[in-house]
Amino acid sequence: MSFTDRLRRERVIAIVRGSDPKAAERTVHTLREEGVGLIEVSLTTPDAADVIARCVREAGGALIGAGTVLTADEARAVQQAGAAFVVTPALAEGSVTAHALGLPVVAGALTPTEVVRAVAEGATAVKLFPASVGGPAYLRSLREPLPHVPFVPTGGVDAETARAYLEAGALAVGVGSPIAGDAPHGGDLDALRTRCRAFLAAVAGHREGA
């Protein structure tokens, strides 16, 4: 299954951005246990490459990716850690290098010019970020001239807006604190499970084969 097909199946990339490496790792495992198949560990998390490497070893059927990859060195480091995909907040050297290394890239872009450039530089999908600036209506406007671009809106996406983005034509959505909450900082894992189940239920009608 291609990464694009996996995005189409899962519809959600859960973003883990924490202050505690062990808590971030526990968050990844909990998300995986609850059925989230695409999980991004942000490099703003302390020791993120090590967290990714440990999570990859116990990933089961989930794909563990790296987020906030900005530089070529970071792209090489997360490849060595075993990341299955790379996510960037903007067009940067990290996305170009990750693509050259053969990793699927969800490259951050906001304007039409940035979107076109992201695709030209080999992005598998475009992370529309911060999506909250324009909301689902902005996504619809972008898709009119760019109907074949696979968009992954990220930034301020909760369960309700996730449905709206998917209905507006998004391939998937990226979701951070609305699903992870305080768990990556050492917070309640039971509350994480509850949020995760509610979120997956909200997008269930858009998931393929899950």
Side-chain angles (χ1 to χ4, degrees):
M1 182 182 295
S2 70
F3 185 67
T4 301
D5 288 339
R6 190 65 183 264
L7 284 168
R8 185 175 295 109
R9 173 186 171 182
E10 302 290 345
R11 298 296 194 186
V12 175
I13 300 176
I15 303 164
V16 176
R17 185 189 306 274
S19 55
D20 179 337
K22 290 297 184 184
E25 189 174 342
R26 290 192 295 269
T27 300
V28 171
H29 293 317
T30 302
L31 289 165
R32 176 179 56 80
E33 290 166 2
E34 290 299 324
V36 177
L38 297 172
I39 305 169
E40 165 196 340
V41 178
S42 171
L43 293 192
T44 59
T45 303
D47 302 321
D50 290 337
V51 172
I52 291 168
R54 290 193 295 269
C55 291
V56 165
R57 289 195 289 269
E58 300 181 32
L63 297 182
I64 310 300
T68 325
V69 177
L70 294 173
T71 70
D73 286 344
E74 288 172 342
R76 287 187 283 266
V78 299
Q79 184 204 38
Q80 292 174 2
F85 60 95
V86 158
V87 182
T88 74
L91 301 177
E93 189 178 7
S95 59
V96 175
T97 301
H99 174 65
L101 292 170
L103 289 169
V105 177
V106 184
L110 181 61
T111 68
T113 299
E114 292 171 347
V115 170
V116 170
R117 180 181 159 195
V119 173
E121 291 182 352
T124 305
V126 174
K127 172 182 172 177
L128 185 62
F129 179 79
S132 57
V133 169
Y138 181 60
L139 173 62
R140 287 192 180 92
S141 295
L142 281 177
R143 292 193 71 248
E144 287 180 3
L146 302 169
H148 302 300
V149 175
F151 284 103
V152 182
T154 306
V157 178
D158 58 18
E160 182 177 352
T161 54
R163 286 194 299 267
Y165 281 119
L166 294 173
E167 289 166 1
L171 178 62
V173 294
V175 186
S177 57
I179 195 168
D182 62 357
H185 307 286
D188 188 349
L189 293 179
D190 288 335
L192 170 63
R193 292 183 186 278
T194 298
R195 288 190 301 272
C196 185
R197 292 168 188 173
F199 206 100
L200 292 181
V203 303
H206 297 277
R207 302 180 84 197
E208 296 183 2

Coordinates of all heavy atoms in Angstrom, one line a residue, residues 93-183:
E93 N 14.7 22.7 3.5 CA 15.7 21.8 3.1 C 15.4 20.4 3.5 O 15.6 19.4 2.8 CB 17.1 22.2 3.6 CG 18.2 21.4 3.0 CD 19.6 21.9 3.5 OE1 19.6 22.8 4.4 OE2 20.6 21.4 3.0
G94 N 14.7 20.3 4.7 CA 14.4 18.9 5.2 C 13.5 18.2 4.3 O 13.6 16.9 4.2
S95 N 12.5 18.8 3.7 CA 11.5 18.1 2.9 C 12.2 17.7 1.6 O 12.0 16.6 1.1 CB 10.3 19.0 2.6 OG 10.7 20.2 1.9
V96 N 13.1 18.5 1.0 CA 13.8 18.1 -0.2 C 14.7 16.9 0.1 O 14.8 16.0 -0.7 CB 14.6 19.3 -0.7 CG1 15.4 18.9 -1.9 CG2 13.7 20.5 -1.1
T97 N 15.4 17.0 1.2 CA 16.4 15.9 1.5 C 15.6 14.6 1.8 O 16.0 13.5 1.3 CB 17.3 16.3 2.7 OG1 18.0 17.5 2.3 CG2 18.2 15.2 3.0
A98 N 14.5 14.7 2.5 CA 13.7 13.5 2.8 C 13.2 12.9 1.6 O 13.3 11.6 1.4 CB 12.6 13.9 3.8
H99 N 12.8 13.7 0.6 CA 12.3 13.1 -0.7 C 13.4 12.4 -1.4 O 13.3 11.3 -1.9 CB 11.7 14.2 -1.5 CG 11.3 13.8 -2.9 ND1 10.4 12.9 -3.1 CD2 11.9 14.2 -4.1 CE1 10.3 12.7 -4.5 NE2 11.2 13.5 -5.1
A100 N 14.6 13.1 -1.4 CA 15.8 12.5 -2.0 C 16.2 11.1 -1.4 O 16.7 10.3 -2.1 CB 16.9 13.4 -2.0
L101 N 15.9 11.0 -0.1 CA 16.2 9.8 0.6 C 15.2 8.7 0.4 O 15.3 7.6 0.9 CB 16.4 10.1 2.1 CG 17.6 10.9 2.5 CD1 17.5 11.3 4.0 CD2 18.9 10.1 2.3
G102 N 14.1 9.0 -0.3 CA 13.1 8.1 -0.6 C 11.9 8.0 0.4 O 11.1 7.1 0.4
L103 N 11.9 9.0 1.4 CA 10.8 9.0 2.4 C 9.6 9.8 1.8 O 9.7 10.8 1.2 CB 11.3 9.7 3.6 CG 12.3 8.9 4.5 CD1 12.9 9.8 5.6 CD2 11.6 7.7 5.1
P104 N 8.4 9.3 2.1 CA 7.2 10.1 1.8 C 7.2 11.4 2.6 O 7.6 11.4 3.8 CB 6.0 9.2 2.2 CG 6.6 7.8 2.3 CD 8.0 8.0 2.7
V105 N 6.8 12.5 2.0 CA 6.9 13.8 2.6 C 5.5 14.5 2.6 O 4.9 14.5 1.5 CB 7.9 14.7 1.9 CG1 8.0 16.1 2.6 CG2 9.3 14.1 2.0
V106 N 5.1 14.9 3.7 CA 3.9 15.8 3.8 C 4.5 17.2 4.1 O 4.8 17.5 5.2 CB 2.9 15.3 4.9 CG1 1.7 16.2 4.9 CG2 2.6 13.9 4.7
A107 N 4.6 18.0 3.1 CA 5.3 19.3 3.1 C 4.3 20.4 3.5 O 3.3 20.5 2.8 CB 6.0 19.6 1.8
G108 N 4.7 21.3 4.4 CA 3.9 22.4 4.8 C 3.8 23.5 3.8 O 4.8 23.9 3.2
A109 N 2.6 24.0 3.6 CA 2.4 25.1 2.6 C 1.0 25.7 3.0 O 0.1 25.1 3.6 CB 2.4 24.6 1.2
L110 N 0.9 27.0 2.6 CA -0.4 27.7 2.9 C -0.9 28.3 1.6 O -2.1 28.2 1.3 CB -0.2 28.7 4.0 CG -1.4 29.5 4.3 CD1 -2.5 28.6 4.9 CD2 -1.1 30.6 5.4
T111 N -0.1 29.0 0.9 CA -0.5 29.8 -0.3 C -0.5 28.9 -1.6 O 0.2 27.8 -1.6 CB 0.4 31.0 -0.6 OG1 1.7 30.5 -1.0 CG2 0.5 31.8 0.7
P112 N -1.3 29.3 -2.6 CA -1.2 28.5 -3.9 C 0.2 28.3 -4.4 O 0.6 27.3 -4.9 CB -2.1 29.3 -4.8 CG -3.0 30.0 -3.9 CD -2.3 30.4 -2.7
T113 N 1.0 29.4 -4.3 CA 2.4 29.3 -4.8 C 3.2 28.3 -4.0 O 3.9 27.5 -4.6 CB 3.1 30.7 -4.7 OG1 2.4 31.6 -5.5 CG2 4.5 30.6 -5.2
E114 N 3.0 28.3 -2.7 CA 3.7 27.3 -1.9 C 3.2 25.9 -2.2 O 4.0 24.9 -2.2 CB 3.5 27.6 -0.4 CG 4.2 28.9 0.0 CD 3.9 29.3 1.4 OE1 2.9 28.8 2.0 OE2 4.6 30.2 2.0
V115 N 1.9 25.7 -2.4 CA 1.4 24.4 -2.7 C 2.0 23.8 -4.0 O 2.4 22.7 -4.0 CB -0.2 24.5 -2.8 CG1 -0.7 23.1 -3.3 CG2 -0.8 24.8 -1.4
V116 N 2.0 24.7 -5.0 CA 2.6 24.2 -6.3 C 4.0 23.9 -6.1 O 4.5 22.9 -6.7 CB 2.3 25.3 -7.4 CG1 3.1 25.0 -8.6 CG2 0.8 25.5 -7.7
R117 N 4.8 24.7 -5.4 CA 6.2 24.4 -5.2 C 6.4 23.1 -4.4 O 7.3 22.3 -4.7 CB 6.8 25.6 -4.4 CG 8.3 25.3 -4.2 CD 8.9 26.5 -3.4 NE 10.2 26.1 -2.7 CZ 10.8 26.7 -1.8 NH1 10.3 27.9 -1.4 NH2 11.9 26.3 -1.2
A118 N 5.6 22.8 -3.4 CA 5.7 21.6 -2.6 C 5.5 20.4 -3.5 O 6.3 19.4 -3.4 CB 4.6 21.6 -1.5
V119 N 4.5 20.4 -4.4 CA 4.3 19.3 -5.3 C 5.5 19.2 -6.3 O 6.0 18.1 -6.5 CB 3.0 19.5 -6.1 CG1 2.9 18.4 -7.2 CG2 1.8 19.5 -5.1
A120 N 6.0 20.3 -6.8 CA 7.1 20.2 -7.7 C 8.4 19.7 -7.0 O 9.2 19.1 -7.7 CB 7.4 21.7 -8.2
E121 N 8.5 19.9 -5.7 CA 9.7 19.4 -5.0 C 9.5 18.0 -4.5 O 10.4 17.4 -3.8 CB 10.0 20.3 -3.8 CG 10.5 21.7 -4.3 CD 10.9 22.6 -3.1 OE1 10.6 22.3 -2.0 OE2 11.5 23.7 -3.4
G122 N 8.4 17.3 -4.9 CA 8.3 15.9 -4.6 C 7.4 15.5 -3.5 O 7.4 14.3 -3.1
A123 N 6.7 16.5 -2.9 CA 5.8 16.1 -1.7 C 4.8 15.1 -2.1 O 4.2 15.2 -3.2 CB 5.2 17.4 -1.2
T124 N 4.6 14.1 -1.3 CA 3.6 13.1 -1.5 C 2.2 13.7 -1.2 O 1.2 13.4 -1.9 CB 3.8 11.9 -0.5 OG1 5.1 11.4 -0.7 CG2 2.8 10.8 -0.7
A125 N 2.2 14.6 -0.2 CA 0.9 15.3 0.1 C 1.4 16.7 0.7 O 2.5 16.9 1.0 CB 0.1 14.6 1.2
V126 N 0.4 17.6 0.7 CA 0.7 18.9 1.2 C -0.1 19.2 2.5 O -1.3 19.0 2.6 CB 0.2 20.0 0.1 CG1 0.4 21.4 0.7 CG2 1.0 19.9 -1.1
K127 N 0.7 19.5 3.5 CA 0.2 19.9 4.8 C -0.3 21.3 4.8 O 0.5 22.2 4.7 CB 1.3 19.7 5.9 CG 0.9 20.2 7.3 CD 2.1 20.0 8.2 CE 1.8 20.7 9.5 NZ 3.0 20.4 10.5
L128 N -1.6 21.5 4.7 CA -2.1 22.9 4.6 C -2.0 23.4 6.1 O -2.8 23.0 7.0 CB -3.6 22.8 4.2 CG -4.2 24.2 4.0 CD1 -3.5 25.0 2.9 CD2 -5.7 24.0 3.6
F129 N -1.1 24.4 6.3 CA -0.8 24.8 7.6 C -0.4 26.3 7.7 O 0.3 26.8 6.8 CB 0.4 24.0 8.1 CG 0.9 24.4 9.5 CD1 0.2 23.9 10.6 CD2 2.0 25.2 9.7 CE1 0.6 24.3 11.9 CE2 2.4 25.5 11.0 CZ 1.7 25.1 12.1
P130 N -1.0 27.0 8.7 CA -2.0 26.5 9.6 C -3.4 26.6 9.0 O -3.9 27.6 8.6 CB -1.9 27.5 10.8 CG -1.3 28.8 10.2 CD -0.5 28.3 9.0
A131 N -4.0 25.4 9.0 CA -5.3 25.3 8.3 C -6.4 26.2 8.9 O -7.3 26.7 8.2 CB -5.8 23.9 8.3
S132 N -6.3 26.5 10.2 CA -7.3 27.4 10.9 C -7.3 28.8 10.3 O -8.3 29.5 10.5 CB -6.9 27.4 12.4 OG -5.6 28.0 12.6
V133 N -6.3 29.2 9.6 CA -6.3 30.6 9.0 C -7.5 30.7 8.0 O -8.2 31.8 8.0 CB -5.0 30.9 8.3 CG1 -5.1 32.1 7.4 CG2 -3.9 31.0 9.3
G134 N -7.8 29.7 7.3 CA -8.9 29.8 6.3 C -10.0 28.8 6.4 O -11.1 29.0 5.9
G135 N -9.7 27.7 7.2 CA -10.8 26.7 7.4 C -11.1 25.9 6.2 O -10.5 26.1 5.1
P136 N -12.2 25.1 6.3 CA -12.6 24.3 5.1 C -12.9 25.1 3.9 O -12.7 24.6 2.8 CB -13.8 23.6 5.7 CG -13.6 23.5 7.2 CD -12.9 24.8 7.5
A137 N -13.4 26.3 4.0 CA -13.8 27.1 2.9 C -12.5 27.4 2.0 O -12.6 27.4 0.8 CB -14.5 28.4 3.3
Y138 N -11.4 27.7 2.7 CA -10.2 28.0 2.0 C -9.7 26.7 1.3 O -9.2 26.8 0.2 CB -9.1 28.5 3.0 CG -7.8 28.8 2.4 CD1 -7.7 29.8 1.4 CD2 -6.6 28.2 2.8 CE1 -6.5 30.1 0.8 CE2 -5.4 28.5 2.2 CZ -5.3 29.5 1.2 OH -4.1 29.8 0.7
L139 N -9.8 25.6 1.9 CA -9.4 24.3 1.3 C -10.2 24.2 0.0 O -9.6 23.8 -1.1 CB -9.6 23.1 2.2 CG -9.4 21.8 1.6 CD1 -8.0 21.6 1.1 CD2 -9.8 20.7 2.5
R140 N -11.5 24.4 0.0 CA -12.3 24.3 -1.2 C -11.8 25.2 -2.3 O -11.8 24.9 -3.4 CB -13.8 24.6 -0.9 CG -14.5 23.5 -0.1 CD -16.0 23.7 -0.1 NE -16.7 22.7 0.7 CZ -17.0 22.8 2.0 NH1 -16.6 23.9 2.7 NH2 -17.6 21.8 2.6
S141 N -11.5 26.5 -1.9 CA -11.0 27.4 -2.9 C -9.7 27.0 -3.5 O -9.5 27.1 -4.7 CB -10.8 28.8 -2.2 OG -12.0 29.3 -1.7
L142 N -8.8 26.4 -2.7 CA -7.5 25.9 -3.2 C -7.7 24.7 -4.2 O -7.1 24.6 -5.2 CB -6.6 25.4 -2.1 CG -5.8 26.5 -1.3 CD1 -5.0 25.8 -0.2 CD2 -4.9 27.2 -2.3
R143 N -8.7 23.9 -3.8 CA -8.9 22.7 -4.6 C -9.6 22.9 -6.0 O -9.5 22.1 -6.9 CB -9.7 21.6 -3.9 CG -9.0 21.1 -2.7 CD -9.7 19.8 -2.1 NE -9.6 18.7 -3.0 CZ -10.6 18.2 -3.7 NH1 -11.9 18.7 -3.6 NH2 -10.4 17.1 -4.4
E144 N -10.2 24.1 -6.1 CA -10.8 24.4 -7.4 C -9.7 24.5 -8.5 O -9.9 23.8 -9.6 CB -11.6 25.7 -7.3 CG -12.9 25.5 -6.5 CD -13.7 26.8 -6.4 OE1 -13.3 27.8 -7.0 OE2 -14.8 26.8 -5.8
P145 N -8.6 25.2 -8.4 CA -7.6 25.2 -9.4 C -6.6 24.1 -9.3 O -5.8 23.8 -10.2 CB -6.9 26.6 -9.2 CG -7.0 26.8 -7.8 CD -8.4 26.3 -7.4
L146 N -6.6 23.4 -8.1 CA -5.6 22.4 -7.8 C -6.3 21.1 -7.3 O -6.0 20.6 -6.2 CB -4.6 22.9 -6.7 CG -3.8 24.2 -7.0 CD1 -3.1 24.7 -5.8 CD2 -2.9 23.9 -8.2
P147 N -7.2 20.5 -8.1 CA -8.0 19.4 -7.7 C -7.3 18.1 -7.4 O -7.8 17.3 -6.7 CB -9.0 19.3 -8.8 CG -8.3 19.8 -10.0 CD -7.4 20.9 -9.5
H148 N -6.1 18.0 -8.0 CA -5.4 16.7 -7.8 C -4.3 16.7 -6.7 O -3.6 15.7 -6.5 CB -4.7 16.3 -9.1 CG -5.7 16.3 -10.3 ND1 -6.7 15.4 -10.3 CD2 -5.7 17.0 -11.4 CE1 -7.4 15.5 -11.4 NE2 -6.8 16.5 -12.1
V149 N -4.2 17.8 -6.0 CA -3.2 17.9 -4.9 C -3.8 17.2 -3.7 O -4.9 17.6 -3.2 CB -2.9 19.4 -4.6 CG1 -2.0 19.4 -3.3 CG2 -2.2 20.0 -5.8
P150 N -3.1 16.3 -3.1 CA -3.6 15.7 -1.8 C -3.3 16.5 -0.6 O -2.1 16.7 -0.3 CB -2.8 14.3 -1.8 CG -1.7 14.4 -2.7 CD -1.9 15.7 -3.6
F151 N -4.3 17.1 0.0 CA -4.1 18.0 1.1 C -4.4 17.3 2.4 O -5.3 16.5 2.6 CB -5.1 19.2 1.0 CG -4.8 20.2 -0.1 CD1 -5.4 20.2 -1.3 CD2 -3.8 21.2 0.2 CE1 -5.1 21.2 -2.2 CE2 -3.5 22.1 -0.7 CZ -4.1 22.1 -2.0
V152 N -3.5 17.7 3.4 CA -3.7 17.3 4.8 C -3.7 18.5 5.7 O -2.7 19.0 6.2 CB -2.5 16.4 5.2 CG1 -2.7 15.8 6.6 CG2 -2.4 15.2 4.2
P153 N -4.9 19.1 5.9 CA -5.0 20.3 6.7 C -4.6 20.0 8.2 O -5.0 18.9 8.7 CB -6.5 20.6 6.7 CG -7.0 19.9 5.4 CD -6.2 18.7 5.3
T154 N -3.8 20.9 8.7 CA -3.3 20.7 10.1 C -3.2 22.1 10.8 O -2.9 23.1 10.2 CB -1.9 20.1 10.0 OG1 -1.9 18.9 9.2 CG2 -1.3 19.8 11.4
G155 N -3.5 22.0 12.1 CA -3.5 23.3 12.8 C -4.9 23.7 13.2 O -5.7 24.1 12.4
G156 N -5.3 23.5 14.5 CA -6.6 23.8 15.0 C -7.7 22.8 14.5 O -8.9 23.2 14.5
V157 N -7.3 21.6 14.2 CA -8.3 20.6 13.7 C -8.8 19.8 14.9 O -8.0 19.1 15.5 CB -7.6 19.7 12.6 CG1 -8.7 18.6 12.2 CG2 -7.1 20.5 11.4
D158 N -10.1 19.9 15.1 CA -10.7 19.0 16.1 C -11.6 18.1 15.4 O -11.7 18.0 14.1 CB -11.5 19.9 17.2 CG -12.5 20.8 16.6 OD1 -12.9 20.6 15.4 OD2 -12.9 21.7 17.3
A159 N -12.4 17.3 16.1 CA -13.2 16.3 15.5 C -14.3 16.9 14.5 O -14.5 16.4 13.5 CB -13.9 15.4 16.6
E160 N -14.9 18.0 15.0 CA -15.9 18.6 14.1 C -15.3 19.1 12.8 O -15.8 18.9 11.7 CB -16.6 19.7 14.9 CG -17.7 20.4 14.1 CD -18.4 21.4 14.9 OE1 -18.2 21.5 16.1 OE2 -19.3 22.1 14.3
T161 N -14.2 19.9 13.0 CA -13.6 20.5 11.7 C -12.9 19.4 10.9 O -12.8 19.5 9.7 CB -12.6 21.6 12.1 OG1 -11.6 21.0 13.0 CG2 -13.3 22.8 12.7
A162 N -12.5 18.3 11.5 CA -11.9 17.2 10.7 C -13.0 16.7 9.7 O -12.6 16.5 8.5 CB -11.5 16.1 11.6
R163 N -14.2 16.5 10.2 CA -15.2 16.0 9.3 C -15.4 17.1 8.1 O -15.6 16.7 7.0 CB -16.5 15.8 10.0 CG -16.5 14.6 10.9 CD -18.0 14.2 11.3 NE -18.5 15.3 12.1 CZ -18.5 15.4 13.5 NH1 -17.9 14.4 14.1 NH2 -19.0 16.4 14.1
A164 N -15.4 18.3 8.5 CA -15.6 19.4 7.5 C -14.5 19.4 6.5 O -14.8 19.6 5.3 CB -15.8 20.7 8.2
Y165 N -13.3 19.2 6.9 CA -12.2 19.2 6.0 C -12.3 18.0 5.0 O -12.0 18.1 3.8 CB -10.8 19.2 6.7 CG -10.4 20.5 7.3 CD1 -10.2 20.7 8.6 CD2 -10.1 21.6 6.4 CE1 -9.8 21.9 9.1 CE2 -9.7 22.8 6.9 CZ -9.6 23.0 8.2 OH -9.2 24.2 8.7
L166 N -12.6 16.9 5.6 CA -12.7 15.7 4.7 C -13.8 15.8 3.7 O -13.7 15.4 2.6 CB -12.9 14.4 5.6 CG -11.7 14.0 6.5 CD1 -12.1 12.9 7.4 CD2 -10.5 13.7 5.7
E167 N -14.9 16.4 4.2 CA -16.1 16.7 3.2 C -15.7 17.7 2.2 O -16.2 17.7 1.1 CB -17.3 17.2 4.0 CG -17.9 16.0 4.9 CD -18.9 16.5 5.9 OE1 -19.1 17.8 6.0 OE2 -19.4 15.7 6.7
A168 N -14.7 18.6 2.5 CA -14.2 19.6 1.6 C -13.2 19.0 0.6 O -12.7 19.8 -0.3 CB -13.7 20.8 2.3
G169 N -12.8 17.8 0.8 CA -11.9 17.1 -0.2 C -10.5 16.8 0.4 O -9.7 16.4 -0.4
A170 N -10.3 17.0 1.7 CA -9.0 16.7 2.2 C -8.7 15.2 2.1 O -9.7 14.4 2.3 CB -8.9 17.2 3.6
L171 N -7.5 14.8 1.8 CA -7.1 13.4 1.8 C -7.1 12.9 3.3 O -7.5 11.8 3.5 CB -5.8 13.2 1.2 CG -5.2 11.8 1.1 CD1 -6.2 10.9 0.3 CD2 -3.8 11.8 0.6
A172 N -6.6 13.7 4.2 CA -6.5 13.3 5.6 C -6.4 14.6 6.4 O -6.3 15.7 5.8 CB -5.3 12.4 5.9
V173 N -6.3 14.5 7.7 CA -6.1 15.7 8.5 C -5.0 15.3 9.5 O -4.7 14.2 9.9 CB -7.3 16.1 9.3 CG1 -8.4 16.6 8.4 CG2 -7.9 15.0 10.2
G174 N -4.2 16.4 9.9 CA -3.2 16.2 11.0 C -3.8 16.8 12.3 O -4.3 17.9 12.3
V175 N -3.7 16.1 13.4 CA -4.3 16.5 14.6 C -3.3 16.3 15.8 O -2.7 15.3 16.0 CB -5.5 15.6 14.9 CG1 -6.3 16.2 16.2 CG2 -6.5 15.6 13.7
G176 N -3.1 17.4 16.5 CA -2.2 17.4 17.6 C -2.9 17.4 18.9 O -3.5 16.4 19.4
S177 N -3.0 18.6 19.6 CA -3.5 18.6 21.0 C -4.9 18.2 21.1 O -5.3 17.6 22.2 CB -3.3 20.0 21.6 OG -3.9 21.0 20.8
P178 N -5.8 18.4 20.1 CA -7.2 17.9 20.3 C -7.3 16.4 20.5 O -8.3 16.0 21.1 CB -7.9 18.4 19.0 CG -7.1 19.6 18.6 CD -5.7 19.2 18.9
I179 N -6.3 15.7 20.1 CA -6.4 14.2 20.3 C -5.3 13.8 21.4 O -5.6 13.0 22.3 CB -6.2 13.4 19.0 CG1 -6.6 12.0 19.2 CG2 -4.7 13.5 18.5 CD1 -6.7 11.2 17.9
A180 N -4.1 14.4 21.4 CA -3.1 14.0 22.3 C -3.3 14.7 23.7 O -2.9 14.1 24.7 CB -1.7 14.4 21.7
G181 N -3.8 15.9 23.7 CA -4.0 16.5 25.0 C -2.7 16.7 25.7 O -1.7 17.1 25.2
D182 N -2.7 16.4 27.0 CA -1.5 16.6 27.9 C -0.7 15.3 28.0 O 0.3 15.2 28.7 CB -1.9 17.1 29.2 CG -2.8 16.2 30.0 OD1 -3.2 15.1 29.5 OD2 -3.1 16.5 31.2
A183 N -1.2 14.2 27.3 CA -0.5 12.9 27.4 C 1.0 13.0 27.1 O 1.8 12.4 27.8 CB -1.2 11.9 26.6

